[in-house]
Amino acid sequence: MYFDSHAHLDDPRFDADRAELLNDLKNHGVGLVMNVGCDLPSSERSVALAEAHDFIYAAVGSHPDDAEHVDGRLLDRYRALAACRRVRAIGEIGLDYHYEDVPRARQIVAFEEQLELAEALKLPVIVHEREAHGDAVDIVRRHPDVRGVFHCFSGSKELALWLVERGWYIGFTGVVTFKNARRAVEAVQALPLDRILIETDCPYMAPEPYRGRRNDSRYVPLVAAKIAELKGISPEEAGDATAQNAKRLFGIA
């Protein structure tokens, strides 16, 4: 069984065929999905999707691109949404210095405020971190009681191992199947299997041989197959192990 630990199936790009896609997941061995919010509207859609489908769970939170909207009122709304039993994480939250559409200082404040919310609610976090490794490490150090996953991991194997030593999980997308994915491959090879999650981040990051197309949760077995190749195990073993890891992190029986 495969668990897509990070998806955006609420995205408008799925409006035309969402029902058909969701009905087809079981035919690809995908038994569970974590649908992740990026702002308030997508968080609300994620909760609605999870309430309508017993194999979908939700995360609520503001991506760094939405950091300027994070204030007390929005945090209260996320707190209310998190009262739903289908919500199992705060996310995706974090730092993105690639484009810097939002100033770094504002991103850091929003990240830390949402980490504090997660800690208060005793929920794990789903972290988006791009080209902000140093600040991310400093913030993790400042919040030693918060745990979660660094999704779509883009850092070094040393950073991955540093996070795992502190109880974090590392998530890999279809990027690990790309020919130029040296850092992701090195991180997978260095990590213990019990700290790896697999994800699609759909509709983005479609794995080979579908790179450049709209991604969806039916492609998560291709990520598992690449992890299996790198770890010297079967795709079924990789799927089962990473599913158990995600269930453990998100408190799913």
Side-chain angles (χ1 to χ4, degrees), residues 28 43 87 92 210:
H28 297 262
S43 293
V87 175
E92 64 187 280
Y210 303 105

Side-chain angles (χ1 to χ4, degrees), residues 33-52:
V33 176
M34 174 59 70
N35 206 77
V36 183
C38 295
D39 52 21
L40 181 57
S42 61
S43 293
E44 291 174 335
R45 293 194 304 265
S46 292
V47 174
L49 199 62
E51 288 180 326

